Amino acid sequence: MVGGAPIHYGRAKRQLDARITELNGGKPIPRWTLHDCRRTFRTGLSRLGVAPHIAELCIAHRQQGLAKVYDQHRYDAEKAHAFAAWAAHVLRIVEPPEGIVVPLRPAR
């Protein structure tokens, strides 16, 4: 729930798909699910060097086995660092620093 109202994931997904299609010149992108975003995030955390147990906690997986019983630390600071690293990674993709991007062909 957001602000007390339920989240309608199906409706949000359809709206997002429509916007992506619009931005892509009317051509839809291949089938994808919201779970693909979760998988991309989790894989990206590994690429960024985030420890596996922290990455798992970031996607709301609980610790298993003896760690679940004996390790009661919440890892809030570690998770915050992982989320900040992911945010910086995404920003470098969507807003690359000037001088880093070299066009492959002249702009029209």
Side-chain angles (χ1 to χ4, degrees):
M1 294 182 125
V2 175
I7 298 172
H8 299 280
Y9 290 104
R11 183 183 317 150
K13 172 72 165 64
R14 286 188 300 276
Q15 290 171 338
L16 182 58
D17 283 343
R19 182 69 174 132
I20 289 170
T21 299
E22 178 186 327
L23 292 171
N24 198 29
K27 181 180 174 193
I29 61 173
R31 182 183 176 279
W32 69 281
T33 68
L34 292 171
H35 193 266
D36 293 325
C37 296
R38 182 178 168 97
R39 182 177 22 256
T40 298
F41 170 66
R42 174 60 180 86
T43 301
L45 290 180
S46 290
R47 276 191 37 219
L48 294 172
V50 174
H53 68 287
I54 301 300
E56 287 296 305
L57 293 171
C58 287
I59 60 170
H61 285 178
R62 297 187 180 183
Q63 294 194 73
Q64 300 295 314
L66 291 176
K68 178 180 177 181
V69 174
Y70 291 110
D71 186 355
Q72 298 298 305
H73 182 57
R74 292 175 44 108
Y75 294 96
D76 291 336
E78 294 85 351
K79 290 187 294 185
H81 175 75
F83 286 119
W86 180 252
H89 173 70
V90 171
L91 281 175
R92 281 190 302 274
I93 293 169
V94 298
E95 297 177 358
E98 294 211 17
I100 300 290
V101 177
V102 177
L104 297 177
R105 60 183 152 197
R108 295 180 188 186

